[in-house]
Amino acid sequence: MTALTRQIVAIARPGVVWAVHFIAIYALISAACAARALIGHPTLLIAGAVVTVLGVALCLWSVAAPRTGEDGDLRPAAFWSGLIFALAILANASALFFFQSCGG
Amino acid sequence: MSVSETPTTYSGARKGEDKSFEGVWDTPKGIHVLSSVSHRVVGRRFIYTGFVFFLIAGVLALLVRTQLIVPGNTFLDLETYNQVFTMHGTLMMFLFAIPILEGFAVYLIPLMLGARDLIFPRLGQFGYYCYLFGGIIVLSSFVFDAAPDGGWFMYVPLSTKAHTPGLSADFWLIGITFAEIASVTAAVELITAILTARAPGMSLTKMPIFAWYILITAFMIAIGFPPLIIGSILLEAERLLGLPFFDPMLGGDPLLWQHLFWLFGHPEVYIIFLPAAGMVATMLPTFVGKPLFGYGFAVAAVVSMGFISFGLWAHHMFATGLPILSLSLFSAASTMVAVPTAIQVFCFIATLASGRPKLTTPMLFILGFLSIFVLGGLTGVMLASVPFNWQAHDSYFVVAHLHYVLIGGMVFPLIGAFYYWAPHFTGRMMSERLGRWVFGLMFVGFNTTFLLMHITGLRGMPRRVATYAEGLGWDRLNMLSSIGSYILAAGIALFVFDFFRSRRHGPPAPRNPWGAGTLEWLYPPVAPGFNFHAIPPVESREPLWDQPHLLETEAHKVEGVMHGIRDGRRETVGCDPVSGKPLYILRLPHPTWLPMIAAAGLALLFGATLASAYWLCAVGAVIALVAFTLWGWEPSDSGVTRDAGMGHELPVNVVDRRSHMHVALVGTMLVLMALFASLIFGLLYLWNIRPEAAETLTRPALLPAAVAVVLGLAVALFGQLTRRAAVRDRFAGATVLSLLTVLTSLLAVAALGLSLMPIDPWASALGATLWAIGGFVAFNLAVLTYWGLFNAARRLTRRIGPGQSMPDFNLATFAKGCGLMVAVAGAFFIAGAVGGVG
């Protein structure tokens, strides 16, 4: 993989991580709060915490990864992409921890 | 993987060997101009048609404002008012905003990237005619006194047969679904063009910022439109066939429609905003005289926006009774999208601050965009807050917000873009003096109309009411808003006058009239139909600034690759998607009527459905199928190498994962997977929220479902083996394996059908959804079957010769996608059979 390809992947990866995390949180809320009630609130919290920690770590990888031999103009793109999506993941997950049940 | 094929004498389609370079690229004359496939012709048609729809929708808006100018007005009756506001929203969102921006992209992208045309010109023409015919179907509803009146979102149960018994909802569902084909085809075309057809040296990091905006927008269209397409098909199936997808009495749910609609509807706002912001990011540096500040920041912001915009759909559903946890999730995502938006705005402001901006007409519209759009963004953040949203829901505050975002974020940049790129369309400059008047009228008119609507909404006036009582505190505000709308309309009318006036009386535009840095200004307006005699190597994002020799030399003498013609064919250079390094010669089709005939066949199919004339539907389908078959029935172009100039000896239409055909196929698979995922979402949604209904459903048959999974894997395997045999030039082996792929596809269809046999699709929503999934997969397998037989026939008739493996190479990718869909569908059927659906 060339440095440029690595850089493009580094820009897009946090977005994919955010998308997977969003789907996971939405699925967990749906599983806990819809009529079928597939999981309980504790399971929702634990599973939500695990995917959030994983998601933030993967996003921050783009922020912290060393960048040698890469295009100067796109260097901030990978950095900011990682940071924006890490924040977005935390924001999405925050809903889980502010409420004691599905109804608030 | 790159495959070196055996060089042979050229056996591809021969079309213009007796013509000069200019002759090969000439636009057909007279009535034959309708067969033109040039991106310039097709792009202009999209733009002009979109603008006509804008004017019609604008007149409808004026009717709405006239009705509301005084309390208790009887200018329009209630039914007509409903039709007028529904058609206003529908035309603006579906037939104006997206198509006109796609038109600009279709027109500008090849010029900016250094390509001679978009790489699927026939697809462009096909998309345009689908858009035109779809738009005509929607508009013709007025003629039949059946204009849709259920709002541009067509919510159920209002739009079901029980509550809307006439044809009005059918006009909307069928016409819009048909027109959406254009958006999806343009998206695939633009993704592929941006990734595979750029000037030598134009790596992704040297790409003009406009191309990044369009690339992300195109991906969003490819993923965002399928939920609405699926929703529309399900709703039409409910109306036409009685399948109960949204009927709560049979386990359906009206909210499923809202989910599917807004899964499309919210990203659509960004699909509209991003190309317009891309225009701003392109025009702004020209008038500041400095490159865009923070190119990397902007790219990161655009990518982030593309992703996050898909996590906001339910903020349109805050008042539907979703769990508070869900509301909080969507509220958080809706707030977060302000971050990438703000990054872009800061990039624009920093660019402004880096130089001394020239206050030209386009620049005024950019400033108007910044001020209006930022206000719209701020009220958007307010509406992302659940408690405020509940208060403002369905009030005129929301109407004000959405118009600030859409008119500020899209119409102002668009009019600025018309002034900026007008020389490309007319060869002349538009009037600066009239342009300032246009801007002034639009800016004052817009703010008079919509700023006041915030207050009207906060004072409690609900949306979509045809009239209101006197003395509620809304009278004066509504009158002023209506007067503002007339001023706004006067601005648009003056713009139209200026555009037509400039066609005859505007001063001729010089070469690069604004002193821009991007390649579309390399040739004097109007650039020739082939865009470039030779495609110059590019060293920066602003080649006309950083490579001064490009403008110092006469355009047709600029050095580059692909000078002249080879084999009498239209062609451009295909590149590596990341580095932009020339990879192959990309052969392009010549003018043809076939895409128009295919679109006309489909129009007949869709239109006859409205009239319940099913024999005509069959005729339309046959016409389309024959046209598609003839479209593909050409000798394969690959298998030879040619001199491309500047030391490049390149293969023609290389067989490679990076080739335009393969990238386009991957883009198409993305659309198909999004369609499939929308159906799976519907299935899981209904299963999860209506467990009591799910328990009563008959189970699918287990054994056929298990066999279907195995056959799905076999389809993928045989597809891959066909590719291997073709690439290794095993002619007979590839034919046999291709037929085996076809056979397993047919068996997979049978297995899926047998698994679903015990289920009555009319008895429950879940059963109907399972059948819809089976039907969708079967449709794809039918396409695979047709494609496999088509390839075999082409091989037997020597349309594909030895050493030409591209058709089988691409078939394998499609077979793998179909195999995956069969396996997933089969797995769901097995889960239902083993565990019981309930």
Side-chain angles (χ1 to χ4, degrees):
Chain A
M1 199 188 278
T2 64
L4 186 57
T5 310
R6 263 203 312 278
Q7 207 162 9
I8 301 295
V9 171
I11 294 169
R13 186 177 50 220
V16 175
V17 172
W18 175 87
V20 171
H21 177 266
F22 181 87
I23 292 168
I25 297 289
Y26 181 64
L28 284 169
I29 293 175
S30 300
C33 301
R36 193 171 281 275
L38 285 168
I39 59 171
H41 200 73
T43 315
L44 168 65
L45 281 183
I46 294 166
V50 170
V51 294
T52 300
V53 170
L54 270 174
V56 171
L58 284 170
C59 284
L60 292 180
W61 181 17
S62 286
V63 176
R67 280 165 246 290
T68 47
E70 294 178 354
D71 185 283
D73 282 335
L74 277 191
R75 201 171 297 152
F79 178 89
W80 282 103
S81 172
L83 208 59
I84 292 169
F85 282 115
L87 282 173
I89 285 175
L90 286 173
N92 284 349
S94 64
L96 300 183
F97 303 100
F98 286 140
F99 298 99
Q100 306 301 311
S101 68
C102 294
Chain B
M1 179 177 71
S2 186
V3 182
S4 62
E5 296 183 284
T6 320
T8 57
T9 313
Y10 183 60
S11 61
R14 296 172 183 280
K15 298 194 172 178
E17 286 171 314
D18 54 336
K19 293 180 182 168
S20 63
F21 176 75
E22 285 78 6
V24 162
W25 283 94
D26 204 17
T27 302
K29 302 288 186 298
I31 186 74
H32 292 278
V33 75
L34 294 174
S35 70
S36 173
V37 291
S38 160
H39 77 104
R40 309 258 302 273
V41 174
V42 172
R44 274 203 305 270
R45 283 181 188 160
F46 265 110
I47 292 168
Y48 294 152
T49 310
F51 202 84
V52 169
F53 281 119
F54 171 65
L55 294 178
I56 296 170
V59 169
L60 295 174
L62 291 178
L63 294 179
V64 168
R65 284 315 319 167
T66 304
Q67 167 65 15
L68 295 174
I69 194 165
V70 289
N73 200 358
T74 54
F75 173 66
L76 298 176
D77 62 62
L78 303 185
E79 191 188 343
T80 308
Y81 182 84
N82 288 346
Q83 292 178 336
V84 166
F85 80 71
T86 297
M87 289 297 274
H88 164 71
T90 300
L91 295 185
M92 284 291 190
M93 297 300 277
F94 293 105
L95 300 177
F96 157 62
I98 294 176
I100 200 168
L101 291 170
E102 281 186 335
F104 268 97
V106 164
Y107 189 97
L108 290 172
I109 284 291
L111 283 160
M112 282 186 175
L113 299 187
R116 285 193 178 136
D117 205 334
L118 268 189
I119 50 181
F120 296 113
R122 287 178 295 191
L123 193 63
Q125 192 205 96
F126 171 71
Y128 170 73
Y129 285 115
C130 286
Y131 161 56
L132 179 68
F133 296 147
I136 289 171
I137 288 175
V138 175
L139 266 188
S140 66
S141 61
F142 275 122
V143 179
F144 297 101
D145 194 21
D149 58 359
W152 79 278
F153 33 73
M154 212 41 67
Y155 278 168
V156 292
L158 179 61
S159 56
T160 58
K161 204 77 179 170
H163 301 285
T164 307
L167 281 176
S168 63
D170 303 300
F171 269 106
W172 190 96
L173 291 164
I174 288 174
I176 293 300
T177 303
F178 188 29
E180 278 167 3
I181 294 174
S183 299
V184 173
T185 53
V188 171
E189 199 179 7
L190 288 166
I191 290 171
T192 315
I194 292 169
L195 290 178
T196 64
R198 304 194 300 267
M202 188 184 280
S203 65
L204 283 179
T205 57
K206 292 196 178 83
M207 216 161 60
I209 190 73
F210 185 68
W212 272 105
Y213 274 92
I214 295 298
L215 181 64
I216 300 301
T217 305
F219 273 113
M220 289 173 70
I221 291 174
I223 298 168
F225 273 58
L228 179 64
I229 293 173
I230 285 296
S232 300
I233 291 171
L234 297 188
L235 182 51
E236 188 55 30
E238 176 162 327
R239 290 179 57 85
L240 203 63
L241 307 172
L243 294 167
F245 297 104
F246 307 105
D247 183 355
M249 300 300 287
L250 293 171
D253 187 9
L255 280 190
L256 175 60
W257 167 262
Q258 289 201 30
H259 278 292
L260 291 172
F261 183 86
W262 291 115
L263 263 167
F264 145 83
H266 200 83
E268 195 205 13
V269 174
Y270 297 90
I271 288 168
I272 291 170
F273 165 71
L274 283 178
M279 290 170 168
V280 170
T282 306
M283 293 185 281
L284 191 56
T286 301
F287 298 115
V288 175
K290 296 276 172 64
L292 180 74
F293 177 88
Y295 178 88
F297 294 109
V299 169
V302 177
V303 173
S304 311
M305 209 176 209
F307 277 100
I308 295 177
S309 66
F310 280 95
L312 319 181
W313 81 88
H315 81 210
H316 296 270
M317 300 165 63
F318 277 174
T320 59
L322 297 178
I324 296 288
L325 265 184
S326 289
L327 301 189
S328 306
L329 171 67
F330 287 101
S331 177
S334 305
T335 311
M336 273 307 299
V337 81
V339 175
T341 313
I343 290 174
Q344 288 171 70
V345 172
F346 282 124
C347 285
F348 298 153
I349 293 171
T351 308
L352 272 174
S354 66
R356 290 173 67 105
K358 287 183 229 161
L359 277 183
T360 56
T361 301
M363 189 69 203
L364 289 175
F365 278 98
I366 291 172
L367 295 175
F369 152 81
L370 281 172
S371 57
I372 295 172
F373 177 75
V374 167
L375 277 174
L378 289 175
T379 50
V381 175
M382 290 164 74
L383 285 167
S385 159
V386 179
F388 182 82
N389 190 296
W390 281 346
Q391 294 302 314
H393 184 77
D394 259 353
S395 75
Y396 262 85
F397 188 89
V398 179
V399 179
H401 157 71
L402 76 91
H403 283 92
Y404 261 77
V405 171
L406 292 175
I407 296 186
M410 184 262 176
V411 176
F412 272 75
L414 182 78
I415 302 294
F418 267 110
Y419 274 93
Y420 184 75
W421 280 295
H424 266 283
F425 307 134
T426 62
R428 293 170 184 272
M429 306 296 286
M430 290 177 72
S431 163
E432 274 293 303
R433 196 162 132 254
L434 285 178
R436 284 164 198 275
W437 272 99
V438 171
F439 171 76
L441 286 168
M442 284 183 65
F443 191 80
V444 171
F446 170 82
N447 283 296
T448 310
T449 308
F450 294 104
L451 190 68
L452 298 175
M453 274 189 199
H454 291 103
I455 306 167
T456 320
L458 290 175
R459 287 191 178 180
M461 180 164 172
R463 305 168 69 172
R464 307 183 196 106
V465 289
T467 189
Y468 51 93
E470 203 174 344
L472 294 170
W474 307 338
D475 312 11
R476 216 169 287 168
L477 291 169
N478 270 305
M479 173 156 304
L480 287 170
S481 281
S482 296
I483 291 169
S485 71
Y486 303 144
I487 299 172
L488 178 58
I492 298 288
L494 187 59
F495 162 75
V496 174
F497 168 77
D498 189 17
F499 186 79
F500 282 107
R501 189 204 59 81
S502 72
R503 289 174 72 94
R504 281 173 176 251
H505 306 295
R511 190 180 180 189
N512 196 11
W514 306 105
T518 38
L519 268 184
E520 79 271 24
W521 298 107
L522 178 63
Y523 277 73
V526 174
F530 43 82
N531 295 352
F532 304 95
H533 278 93
I535 300 170
V538 163
E539 292 157 16
S540 79
R541 283 192 288 271
E542 289 87 18
L544 298 191
W545 287 351
D546 300 330
Q547 296 166 243
H549 64 274
L550 291 176
L551 285 177
E552 286 162 4
T553 321
E554 282 182 80
H556 66 278
K557 290 181 182 164
V558 167
E559 285 192 0
V561 297
M562 305 295 295
H563 200 277
I565 45 172
R566 284 142 285 270
D567 305 314
R569 294 294 304 275
R570 293 183 172 193
E571 54 196 8
T572 189
V573 67
C575 70
D576 177 83
V578 176
S579 68
K581 189 179 148 204
L583 205 62
Y584 60 104
I585 294 171
L586 204 160
R587 287 272 153 94
L588 298 162
H590 291 223
T592 166
W593 294 93
L594 287 172
M596 188 173 91
I597 294 168
L602 288 180
L604 189 59
L605 168 65
F606 280 77
T609 309
L610 276 167
S612 304
Y614 298 113
W615 66 272
L616 259 183
C617 294
V619 171
V622 170
I623 290 171
L625 193 61
V626 170
F628 285 131
T629 304
L630 293 173
W631 181 336
W633 192 255
E634 284 198 341
S636 182
D637 282 319
S638 63
V640 292
T641 56
R642 292 288 182 266
D643 180 18
M646 299 191 99
H648 293 287
E649 183 79 14
L650 298 175
V652 171
N653 286 2
V654 70
V655 181
D656 191 290
R657 288 187 203 286
R658 295 168 295 175
S659 78
H660 63 294
M661 291 295 285
H662 193 260
V663 171
L665 189 59
V666 172
T668 308
M669 291 308 301
L670 189 68
V671 176
L672 293 174
M673 287 299 171
L675 289 166
F676 185 60
S678 303
L679 283 167
I680 297 292
F681 172 82
L683 181 76
L684 290 173
Y685 177 82
L686 292 176
W687 175 79
N688 197 31
I689 63 146
R690 301 298 304 272
E692 77 289 350
E695 277 164 19
T696 61
L697 185 74
T698 316
R699 297 179 180 204
L702 176 62
L703 185 63
V707 172
V709 172
V710 175
L711 286 169
L713 299 175
V715 167
L717 178 69
F718 284 129
Q720 180 63 19
L721 290 174
T722 307
R723 173 188 283 180
R724 264 179 73 170
V727 165
R728 292 177 184 180
D729 215 3
R730 292 178 186 154
F731 203 69
T735 308
V736 170
L737 285 162
S738 167
L739 292 174
L740 276 173
T741 312
V742 167
L743 185 64
T744 45
S745 298
L746 292 173
L747 290 172
V749 172
L752 287 172
L754 283 174
S755 179
L756 289 172
M757 271 307 170
I759 300 173
D760 176 6
W762 281 273
S764 72
L766 210 52
T769 312
L770 283 169
W771 270 99
I773 291 172
F776 177 77
V777 176
F779 176 78
N780 280 290
L781 288 170
V783 173
L784 179 64
T785 300
Y786 192 76
W787 190 350
L789 292 173
F790 184 70
N791 278 0
R794 285 179 79 200
R795 196 176 285 111
L796 290 172
T797 54
R798 299 284 161 177
R799 313 297 282 183
I800 305 172
Q804 294 181 320
S805 54
M806 184 183 280
D808 292 313
F809 191 90
N810 292 333
L811 180 74
T813 302
F814 189 64
K816 284 189 269 189
C818 287
L820 178 67
M821 280 191 253
V822 174
V824 172
F828 273 101
F829 295 176
I830 289 172
V834 174
V837 178

